[in-house]
Amino acid sequence: MVGGGEVACRKVALLVETGAFVTVVSPDISGEIEALVGKGKVKHIKENFREKHLEGFSLVVGATDDPQVNRAVSRGARNSGIWVNIVDSPGESDF
């Protein structure tokens, strides 16, 4: 997950409900995501997104309020053969 705000929080919660362990890349995260970090269900990388954050993943969700960051997530994921979903941008998403 790239993003730590309200929309990202909803997506993270849904993924955690399925049993997924989620990594969140964002300088800041919501209190709800912080609580999931505290429970050991989410890892938080407190950094701005860089393409290196995609290494080792097979799925990425871009859920920031910055279209440039979301485009960078989409471009990096597609260049790396990683499935990508950019919230509210079907054209930049694989699903």
Side-chain angles (χ1 to χ4, degrees):
M1 181 70 57
V2 179
E6 185 179 323
V7 173
C9 181
R10 286 195 306 266
K11 299 293 184 184
V12 167
L14 289 171
L15 289 166
V16 168
E17 282 182 27
T18 70
F21 179 79
V22 180
T23 299
V24 175
V25 177
S26 179
D28 301 301
I29 56 175
S30 70
E32 292 89 348
I33 295 175
E34 186 65 44
L36 292 170
V37 170
K39 292 178 181 177
K41 297 181 182 278
V42 172
K43 176 182 176 182
H44 179 209
I45 299 174
K46 190 175 180 155
E47 297 177 2
N48 289 319
F49 171 76
R50 292 190 309 271
E51 212 167 305
K52 74 170 191 119
H53 292 121
L54 299 172
E55 293 174 8
F57 290 94
S58 56
L59 172 72
V60 64
V61 177
T64 77
D65 59 1
D66 185 333
Q68 289 182 327
V69 172
N70 289 339
R71 277 193 291 279
V73 171
S74 177
R75 191 171 42 254
R78 286 179 167 175
N79 288 342
S80 299
I82 300 170
W83 281 49
V84 61
N85 177 263
I86 302 300
V87 176
D88 297 331
S89 186
E92 295 178 305
S93 302
D94 294 321
F95 64 96

